[in-house]
Amino acid sequence: MAHSIKPFKIAVPDSEIDSLKSKLAVATFPKEVSFSNSWDYGAPLEDVKRLANYWRDGFDWRAQEAKLNELPQFTTTISVDGFEDLEVHFVHQKSKRAESIPLLFSHGWPGSFLECIKILPLLTDGDSDGPSFHLVVPSLPNFGFSQGSSKTGFGLPQYAEVLHKLMLQLGYEQYVTQGGDWGHPITRLVGAKYPSHCLASHLNFVRANAPTFTKHPILYFQSLLTPYTEKEKAGLARTKWFKNEGYGYNLEQSTKPSTIGFALNDSPVALLAWIYEKLHDWTDNYPWTDDEILTWISVYQFSTAGPAASARIYYESMHARQQETRLALEYNSRVKLGLSYFPMDLTVPPRTHGRTLGPVVFEAEHEDGGHFAAYERPNVLAGDLKKMFGKGGGAYDVTKKLCQKHQGALV
Amino acid sequence: MSSITPFTIAIPDDKIKRLKQKLVLTDFPDELIDVEPWSRGSPLSDIKRLTLYWQSGFDWRKVEAKLNQLPQYIAKIEVDGFDTYDVHFVHQPSTVKDAIPLLFIHGWPGSFIEVTKVLPELIKGGEDFPAFHVVAPSLIDFGFSSASRKNGFNIDQHAETCHKLMLALGYNEYVVQGGDLGYIIARFLALNYGTEHVKAHHVNTVAPAEPSATAHPVLYAKAQTTPLSDTEKAGLGRSEWFSKEGNGYYRKQATKPQTVGYFMTDSPVGLLAWIYEKLHDWTDHYDWADEEILTWISIYYFSKAGPAATSFIYYEIEHRDPQVFAAAQVYSEVPLGISRFPRDLILLPKLWNHTLGPIVYEKEHERGGHFGAWERPDAIVEDLRTMFGKHGGAYNVVKGKSGFL
């Protein structure tokens, strides 16, 4: 049964924008103390006040919406085993070159589909040298303009199922994936569940366990005998910082998503601070403009499932379908892997750890950049993908395979 | 020298009006249709009911009047390296002249209100059981005490504040009761001001270190050879649950208190859900009345420093060097009494408690949770009366103030 694919344009109702502004008009802020503007303690008071005031008075959502609507967007219905059908929103840009690699790009939290906006022209430009891609960028269920399930237990395997089925519905029987944040475990599970469809995966956020003697003997000895590089030492320090200082949002959302959901749904200022803290902490001195920040956060504020729903993935990841979810950290021999390490990401493991995930055919360690690689370093990430899938690249055989057939998508 | 003035809680009308305005505008999230209640946090139906009641039925003025039946004061206390603060406290001396001065310290998400049920009983006595003069402050950044305003205001400073309060009231020697943050503060009081001033302490939550072969050889040997009781095993299970499923609030408050502060300040329903979850999860099937819940949370919402300030102590605890819990685990000679409740959060093997100091009283209860004085005032009163009674291990610790006639 073929579900139809409908063109989509974001059109947030006026009432929602008015409601947001009304809430912002009666916003109450914490009292100022000596450390109110220190990032150590959270989102600084003067920033949050400035952003809240701008969100209320100056920020033009319609202008941002129009910009986002320049992206070719669609929705389709995806059936999920054991759950209800979901309306899934996605960007789909075919390359000018017909023989291109179908690439599924998965965002995470607090990102969205819009993370592809800079990298899209770089990857789908069929005129330039090197491989080009047909890009598919969904809003994950519970995020952006996709629905979420109303039932418990919608875990990472379900997210993977949705993304895989989306590719099939677009006529891409075989494809590759790119992911960071939740996109990492989700695309890893796509590879684990559908290895004859997902032929290669690239990750810009690497979460991996140390090699063990029983599972990865060669890597294990390598890790014992090879001293860490300066970059790897810095990566371990960054990982430690994240676990010690930056993990609270994760533990709360992983255990009590409903509780924090009340705050995120009721107070735009709460949502703003909760997310803005990460836009700062997780990037490498990215010069966020107020418009950018508020666009990212407005996608949460105006999301189809509501801002509270975005916490649910954390709970399900920790509690649902654990046996299957753990496959994301297991070696998958069938999917070629590309890893790009950015120093200001959240977990930056040593390279021997990353190699426990699968056959690593591409590996890059960058000098700068953080968690949102496609947004912070679009040229670098696009460059990595082109190297990985280009002539002489570790996944070139996949490129040849996928570009031989002319895969006609339904759109 | 500090001055002491009487105090009445008098929240301005416009604050109450503003709260109700915000409550009316509340936007509720949806809820998963098959969610097991409480598994993912505060249930939607409860929060909706409580929000509606807070907005239209709950009468703060009535509650305020009831709270004002407690004799309250403000003392100006100077804290070394910080400021001079207004410290709000309840002070009810007993009619028994030589009653034992007792400092009662609340925790999070509690307040001075937690003394309400035990107070009328504790001031009684003198014949068969000891009487107490009761002092119950609002910690700095909580209730109706000042904001700390400066970073670095840690458990050390909270202990100093409480100690100086007791001195200001003329209680040169006193005993302490505490749970939650009150537990850590009680330990710091014992370590910093005992045995000279702090003569004994009683706690209803406790976090000892595991006995080590080098530091506590006898205890270590005993712990290795003593099997855990059924209740101790259950306690470890409870502790594991808390650390795995119930610790999100701590991790966020202890690392990004300012971020937490935004929703606590701007969203009454956000604050309600955050605290209400704990009022449920941390108690032993306590039958909270809606008015009780909203009174507890209103004290946060209307607090002098604002609700955001109540997270700051968590940041300080987490970042202190040496670490606060480790510092509180250091052995103190000050006599210690422990009441153990099965639905508390951290329940470690009882032998471990002996690493803290001389245990002169210990009682394990069959019912009760984290808020001992609120859920089981009868138990706390009984335990204190026994601990300080004529046959108790802490009898007459404050010389000349045995609590008896």
Side-chain angles (χ1 to χ4, degrees):
Chain A
M1 193 222 351
H3 288 290
S4 65
I5 293 165
K6 300 185 281 286
F8 176 85
K9 289 258 181 268
I10 306 164
V12 173
D14 281 332
S15 58
E16 277 193 54
I17 301 174
D18 292 340
S19 174
L20 166 66
K21 293 189 182 208
S22 304
K23 275 276 171 80
L24 290 167
V26 293
T28 337
F29 296 91
K31 292 182 203 279
E32 184 143 11
V33 295
S34 72
F35 49 95
S36 285
N37 296 312
S38 159
W39 274 105
D40 286 347
Y41 289 79
L45 185 59
E46 61 194 2
D47 285 22
V48 172
K49 276 183 171 169
R50 184 193 76 247
L51 286 162
N53 290 338
Y54 180 60
W55 205 6
R56 182 191 69 216
D57 294 334
F59 176 72
D60 185 351
W61 167 254
R62 291 295 179 213
Q64 298 302 327
E65 192 179 66
K67 260 198 222 154
L68 292 174
N69 282 336
E70 286 168 17
L71 292 165
Q73 297 166 78
F74 308 87
T75 58
T76 189
T77 308
I78 305 279
S79 305
V80 186
D81 299 342
F83 292 85
E84 67 270 53
D85 290 355
L86 296 179
E87 198 73 4
V88 174
H89 159 255
F90 61 99
V91 171
H92 182 205
Q93 176 68 65
K94 288 178 79 66
S95 169
K96 295 181 192 131
R97 197 192 305 167
E99 289 78 35
S100 290
I101 307 160
L103 172 64
L104 167 67
F105 175 103
S106 175
H107 73 85
W109 183 94
S112 67
F113 71 96
L114 82 75
E115 287 180 70
C116 76
I117 202 166
K118 301 180 189 183
I119 205 170
L120 183 135
L122 303 174
L123 295 175
T124 58
D125 176 11
D127 292 337
S128 62
D129 285 334
S132 80
F133 302 83
H134 300 312
L135 194 57
V136 178
V137 182
S139 285
L140 292 172
N142 286 315
F143 291 82
F145 303 104
S146 288
Q147 286 180 330
S149 173
S150 61
K151 301 206 289 200
T152 61
F154 195 94
L156 294 185
Q158 280 63 48
Y159 286 88
E161 183 185 333
V162 166
L163 266 46
H164 168 66
K165 284 179 170 172
L166 174 63
M167 294 305 274
L168 294 185
Q169 262 167 240
L170 292 173
Y172 299 127
E173 280 293 314
Q174 293 184 316
Y175 53 86
V176 304
T177 67
Q178 201 294 319
D181 198 82
W182 284 114
H184 166 120
I186 291 170
T187 57
R188 287 281 298 159
L189 286 179
V190 169
K193 285 159 72 76
Y194 316 108
S196 56
H197 298 270
C198 170
L199 304 184
S201 289
H202 177 275
L203 306 168
N204 58 282
F205 165 66
V206 184
R207 207 170 59 102
N209 291 330
T212 62
F213 174 67
T214 41
K215 283 191 187 165
H216 334 88
I218 297 172
L219 279 173
Y220 175 74
F221 282 110
Q222 254 184 336
S223 72
L224 284 185
L225 299 169
T226 321
Y228 291 140
T229 63
E230 286 310 308
K231 280 208 179 79
E232 286 176 325
K233 282 185 204 162
L236 286 167
R238 178 76 175 168
T239 306
K240 190 171 172 201
W241 161 84
F242 172 63
K243 287 200 166 95
N244 288 344
E245 298 293 339
Y247 199 70
Y249 80 101
N250 193 312
L251 190 57
E252 179 66 18
Q253 294 184 168
S254 297
T255 54
K256 306 290 176 196
S258 298
T259 292
I260 190 58
F262 287 101
L264 299 176
N265 212 71
D266 182 54
S267 164
V269 168
L271 180 69
L272 165 60
W274 195 257
I275 290 179
Y276 175 58
E277 177 201 300
K278 301 313 188 189
L279 299 188
H280 168 271
D281 284 2
W282 292 4
T283 53
D284 192 353
N285 294 301
Y286 181 77
W288 293 97
T289 63
D290 287 359
D291 276 338
E292 278 178 304
I293 293 163
L294 292 171
T295 303
W296 276 55
I297 294 167
S298 294
V299 169
Y300 279 76
Q301 178 71 20
F302 298 137
S303 59
T304 301
S310 62
R312 289 175 184 157
I313 190 171
Y314 287 83
Y315 186 91
E316 302 300 349
S317 166
M318 186 174 142
H319 295 86
R321 300 167 211 278
Q322 290 297 286
Q323 212 174 356
E324 216 181 338
T325 298
R326 276 194 281 271
L327 293 174
L329 283 168
E330 297 293 318
Y331 191 91
N332 182 354
S333 60
R334 297 184 60 179
V335 178
K336 291 190 183 299
L337 210 47
L339 305 177
S340 294
Y341 293 90
F342 291 90
M344 292 296 276
D345 210 333
L346 313 179
T347 65
V348 191
R351 283 172 295 160
T352 48
H353 296 208
R355 294 177 198 151
T356 64
L357 297 175
V360 176
V361 302
F362 174 85
E363 204 177 71
E365 264 183 319
H366 293 292
E367 295 297 320
D368 48 51
H371 192 60
F372 307 109
Y375 202 77
E376 291 177 71
R377 297 282 182 278
N379 290 298
V380 170
L381 186 63
D384 284 356
L385 287 166
K386 288 186 178 183
K387 279 200 203 91
M388 178 177 170
F389 291 99
K391 262 204 193 108
Y396 186 56
D397 57 325
V398 170
T399 306
K400 283 193 288 186
K401 188 171 186 186
L402 294 178
C403 294
Q404 253 159 32
K405 327 175 206 181
H406 176 89
Q407 296 195 70
L410 298 174
V411 175
Chain B
M1 231 6 238
S2 46
S3 66
I4 296 170
T5 49
F7 175 80
T8 330
I9 306 166
I11 303 301
D13 279 333
D14 68 272
K15 261 195 159 175
I16 301 173
K17 198 166 156 211
R18 183 112 192 205
L19 166 64
K20 292 188 185 220
Q21 280 174 342
K22 278 181 170 290
L23 289 166
V24 162
L25 292 175
T26 299
D27 284 306
F28 294 100
D30 64 8
E31 194 174 54
L32 299 176
I33 55 179
D34 59 345
V35 70
E36 194 193 309
W38 294 105
S39 63
R40 287 162 169 75
S42 295
L44 180 61
S45 55
D46 284 26
I47 297 297
K48 275 185 166 169
R49 185 191 78 243
L50 287 162
T51 303
L52 184 61
Y53 178 60
W54 202 5
Q55 183 247 312
S56 62
F58 178 72
D59 185 349
W60 169 258
R61 289 295 178 214
K62 176 170 145 244
V63 157
E64 192 180 65
K66 197 153 158 239
L67 288 172
N68 283 334
Q69 285 172 2
L70 293 163
Q72 297 164 78
Y73 306 86
I74 298 281
K76 290 212 179 296
I77 305 284
E78 190 185 334
V79 177
D80 297 343
F82 288 83
D83 282 336
T84 302
Y85 297 107
D86 285 349
V87 177
H88 162 252
F89 62 100
V90 172
H91 181 207
Q92 179 65 72
S94 170
T95 51
V96 174
K97 187 172 77 70
D98 296 326
I100 310 166
L102 170 72
L103 168 65
F104 176 97
I105 313 175
H106 72 84
W108 184 95
S111 66
F112 70 96
I113 201 181
E114 290 179 73
V115 83
T116 311
K117 298 183 187 183
V118 295
L119 183 95
E121 286 304 309
L122 288 175
I123 59 173
K124 286 184 195 157
E127 295 189 8
D128 299 326
F129 44 80
F132 300 84
H133 300 311
V134 179
V135 179
S138 288
L139 294 172
I140 296 290
D141 284 330
F142 288 79
F144 304 108
S145 288
S146 296
S148 58
R149 279 189 304 272
K150 293 187 181 156
N151 60 316
F153 197 100
N154 215 322
I155 296 292
D156 315 64
Q157 282 65 45
H158 282 291
E160 183 185 331
T161 307
C162 289
H163 173 64
K164 285 178 171 173
L165 173 64
M166 293 305 272
L167 295 184
L169 291 171
Y171 298 131
N172 193 54
E173 294 181 358
Y174 56 92
V175 303
V176 184
Q177 202 294 321
D180 195 84
L181 294 171
Y183 157 74
I184 323 175
I185 296 169
R187 289 294 299 162
F188 270 57
L189 281 165
L191 288 160
N192 295 347
Y193 308 108
T195 53
E196 191 191 335
H197 298 279
V198 179
K199 294 307 212 182
H201 56 323
H202 174 273
V203 298
N204 54 287
T205 67
V206 62
E210 183 169 4
S212 80
T214 43
H216 326 93
V218 174
L219 206 51
Y220 176 81
K222 199 166 176 197
Q224 295 300 101
T225 53
T226 312
L228 294 175
S229 68
D230 285 341
T231 54
E232 283 176 313
K233 285 183 199 157
L236 285 175
R238 179 85 174 156
S239 310
E240 199 193 324
W241 160 82
F242 171 64
S243 122
K244 190 163 174 265
E245 297 288 342
N247 213 27
Y249 83 102
Y250 179 90
R251 276 240 65 77
K252 190 67 185 181
Q253 290 182 194
T255 52
K256 306 290 175 194
Q258 182 77 344
T259 296
V260 171
Y262 292 105
F263 79 72
M264 286 194 171
T265 313
D266 190 49
S267 173
V269 76
L271 177 70
L272 166 60
W274 192 260
I275 292 180
Y276 177 58
E277 177 204 298
K278 301 314 187 189
L279 300 187
H280 169 271
D281 284 3
W282 292 3
T283 52
D284 191 357
H285 306 94
Y286 180 76
D287 192 13
W288 291 94
D290 285 359
E291 192 182 271
E292 269 181 303
I293 294 163
L294 293 170
T295 302
W296 276 52
I297 292 164
S298 294
I299 290 173
Y300 276 72
Y301 193 77
F302 292 137
S303 65
K304 180 167 175 170
T310 60
S311 293
F312 297 153
I313 184 57
Y314 285 87
Y315 185 92
E316 301 303 339
I317 285 172
E318 186 71 4
H319 293 84
R320 187 182 184 278
D321 184 22
Q323 207 254 3
V324 154
F325 282 96
Q329 283 164 352
V330 169
Y331 189 92
S332 161
E333 288 295 345
V334 174
L336 175 61
I338 301 169
S339 295
R340 185 178 168 109
F341 294 95
R343 298 280 289 180
D344 201 354
L345 310 176
I346 297 172
L347 293 162
L348 301 169
K350 291 196 290 182
L351 269 178
W352 297 16
N353 294 335
H354 293 272
T355 62
L356 294 170
I359 299 179
V360 300
Y361 178 83
E362 207 171 1
K363 180 79 187 271
E364 194 171 350
H365 292 282
E366 310 229 314
R367 291 177 298 112
H370 191 61
F371 307 109
W374 194 258
E375 296 176 69
R376 296 294 315 280
D378 56 312
I380 294 288
V381 166
E382 183 63 36
D383 291 353
L384 288 170
R385 284 175 176 172
T386 310
M387 177 175 168
F388 292 96
K390 284 213 169 106
H391 305 288
Y395 171 64
N396 207 24
V397 280
V398 179
K399 292 281 175 286
K401 293 191 176 174
S402 65
F404 290 92
L405 294 163

